[in-house]
Amino acid sequence: DMYSQDGDADEPEWVKTEREQFVEFRDKNRDGKMDKEETKDWILPADYDHAEAEARHLVYESDRDKDGRLTREEIVDKYDLFVGSQATDFGEALVRHDEF
């Protein structure tokens, strides 16, 4: 629903990719639309740990010396990243912990 042809006969590559994803993976019962369960599986896949992925992202983006540990300075330097993260409850966890 985000793409409008507007007279253009050629679809952009991202539209083709999304169409393939829909047909191959999202529309599991092949009825041409996504029902509640198909939408749920797409948004919250059972085999994907969102919290772990977010935590890995925060460490990857913030760990300047790449030692796998975050110092107070590394966290403060990337404060905006942590405040915007679901892993820190949008910054609330930073206030509740003395170590931050």
Side-chain angles (χ1 to χ4, degrees), residues 7-62:
D8 187 9
D10 295 328
E11 284 184 336
E13 194 61 37
W14 70 268
V15 173
K16 292 176 186 176
T17 301
E18 287 299 315
R19 191 180 310 282
E20 289 170 6
Q21 289 290 316
F22 177 81
V23 170
E24 293 178 29
F25 302 107
R26 295 183 189 142
D27 185 20
K28 294 175 181 174
N29 64 6
R30 306 282 189 244
D31 67 352
K33 57 188 176 213
M34 290 175 61
D35 62 25
K36 183 178 179 179
E37 285 303 310
E38 291 166 333
T39 303
K40 179 181 166 192
D41 289 343
W42 172 48
I43 294 172
L44 295 169
D47 60 346
Y48 183 76
D49 186 337
H50 291 275
E52 181 179 342
E54 179 65 8
R56 288 180 188 273
H57 168 71
L58 291 171
V59 172
Y60 177 82
E61 292 294 330
S62 304

